[in-house]
Amino acid sequence: MDAPDFGKIYTEYFSDVYRYALSLCRNETIAEEVTQETFFKAMRYIDKFNGECKLYVWLCQIAKNTYFSFVKKQHRFATNEDAECQDFSADLESSLLDKETSKQLHILLHALKEPYKEVFTLRVFGELPFSQIGELFGKTDSWARLIFYRAKKQLQEEMK
């Protein structure tokens, strides 16, 4: 793929990939870094894109892998300050919670099995529509709704 085509790809998908990265990390600075690295990797490996999935899905897969690599690297060099930066405060209905409840929700969310954890995170924190979530997984928006509902119910039960 030549440079003008990649420029179009960057322009068309940057904000969507950024929002996806932000939904994973909940930190604007990290999301920007992950997004930039994602497009750098995509540019280097665009010849390996085989078209089996949509380009947006391929870019989000790169973003997810880039973010997870970043997290692994950070855990090796983690400090107490890093842990505080990754804390987030949101409840099931997107209202603010006290720190203890937020911590409990964070722990419960990370204990959820896939795809429940990722679907819930994409919907609540990434604010993605069910249609895009379904597309990321190669499923329907109805599937994404069902998985989100089950994840939400499971978290609600655990929070009681």
Side-chain angles (χ1 to χ4, degrees), residues 34-131:
V34 167
T35 304
Q36 290 299 332
E37 185 66 21
T38 295
F39 279 97
F40 175 72
K41 288 177 181 178
M43 186 172 65
R44 287 182 60 205
Y45 299 107
I46 193 73
D47 59 318
K48 298 203 186 306
F49 176 67
N50 57 19
E52 287 183 14
C53 63
K54 292 187 177 187
L55 186 59
Y56 171 71
V57 174
W58 183 68
L59 291 169
C60 287
Q61 289 169 341
I62 295 171
K64 182 168 79 169
N65 292 334
T66 301
Y67 173 66
F68 288 147
S69 295
F70 174 82
V71 169
K72 283 179 189 174
K73 234 185 268 183
Q74 291 303 308
H75 282 310
R76 282 188 241 144
F77 304 106
T79 65
N80 289 338
E81 291 175 350
D82 291 336
E84 287 177 21
C85 289
Q86 294 182 6
D87 229 0
F88 63 90
S89 59
D91 72 350
L92 297 174
E93 304 302 325
S94 299
S95 63
L96 295 176
L97 296 173
D98 64 341
K99 287 188 183 220
E100 190 57 39
T101 306
S102 177
K103 182 179 175 184
Q104 182 185 5
L105 179 61
H106 183 72
I107 291 167
L108 292 172
L109 182 59
H110 283 284
L112 277 180
K113 293 184 180 191
E114 294 297 348
Y116 301 98
K117 177 170 56 173
E118 190 167 357
V119 169
F120 184 85
T121 302
L122 291 171
R123 180 65 180 167
V124 173
F125 303 119
E127 300 176 357
L128 292 181
F130 289 116
S131 59

